[in-house]
Amino acid sequence: MKQTSARLLLFLTLELFCTPSRAALTVSPSRSQFFQGESVTLICEDGNSSDGGTVRRNTTRGASTWCGKGWGRKDGSTCSISFMYALDTGLYWCESMSGSSSSSSSIIQLSVSGGSVILQSPVLPVMEGDDVTLSCRAKSPAHNLPATFYKDGSSIDGP
């Protein structure tokens, strides 16, 4: 009995202290689409590490790269992009300093548009049954855009 209890305690201790840390990505402003020329700040938060994590991305420009390696300005666990280009569209995520990547739910698709209208939607995935607010945003704020939203080919009414 004592041997079984000792094994269980050892297993629980290993689970608590040996589970890889997960870094979470925060995007500011909190949206998934940007106009070309806008800036964005990406912050890696890793509760298991005092120095957070590092932002990585895989864009239409090519292979996965770290913030500060040809794009963005790295300051600790913060990555700032002062001018977004259409080629900055892609997947962004955090990696903890220990090298373990964030869970797939923390991988964020950011889109950069050279057009005049973007869809404002939540930056994080929305789960079935969750409420979500969608809106159109014009590059020129003076425009009041009438918009119709569609789901599965059918128009849906707003509030």
Side-chain angles (χ1 to χ4, degrees), residues 69-124:
K69 302 286 184 185
W71 64 276
R73 190 185 71 221
K74 183 171 172 25
D75 182 14
S77 60
T78 300
C79 180
S80 301
I81 304 173
S82 59
F83 192 102
M84 298 281 283
Y85 293 95
L87 290 174
D88 291 319
T89 294
L91 299 175
Y92 290 75
W93 68 94
C94 288
E95 284 192 0
S96 68
M97 297 313 286
S98 63
S100 64
S101 61
S102 60
S103 64
S104 60
S105 63
S106 293
I107 296 173
I108 296 173
Q109 170 76 41
L110 296 183
S111 299
V112 183
S113 172
S116 59
V117 178
I118 60 173
L119 174 67
Q120 286 199 173
S121 60
V123 71
L124 295 177

Side-chain angles (χ1 to χ4, degrees), residues 55-59 61 63-65 71 81 88 91-93:
V55 178
R56 290 191 72 155
R57 74 178 187 179
N58 192 354
T59 66
R61 290 184 182 189
S64 171
T65 58
W71 64 276
I81 304 173
D88 291 319
L91 299 175
Y92 290 75
W93 68 94

Side-chain angles (χ1 to χ4, degrees), residues 104-159:
S104 60
S105 63
S106 293
I107 296 173
I108 296 173
Q109 170 76 41
L110 296 183
S111 299
V112 183
S113 172
S116 59
V117 178
I118 60 173
L119 174 67
Q120 286 199 173
S121 60
V123 71
L124 295 177
V126 177
M127 305 308 282
E128 184 175 344
D130 288 351
D131 289 336
V132 63
T133 300
L134 302 174
S135 61
C136 290
R137 180 170 174 246
K139 190 170 190 174
S140 174
H143 291 90
N144 185 8
L145 295 175
T148 302
F149 292 92
Y150 292 84
K151 179 181 183 252
D152 299 331
S154 299
S155 172
I156 56 175
D157 295 325

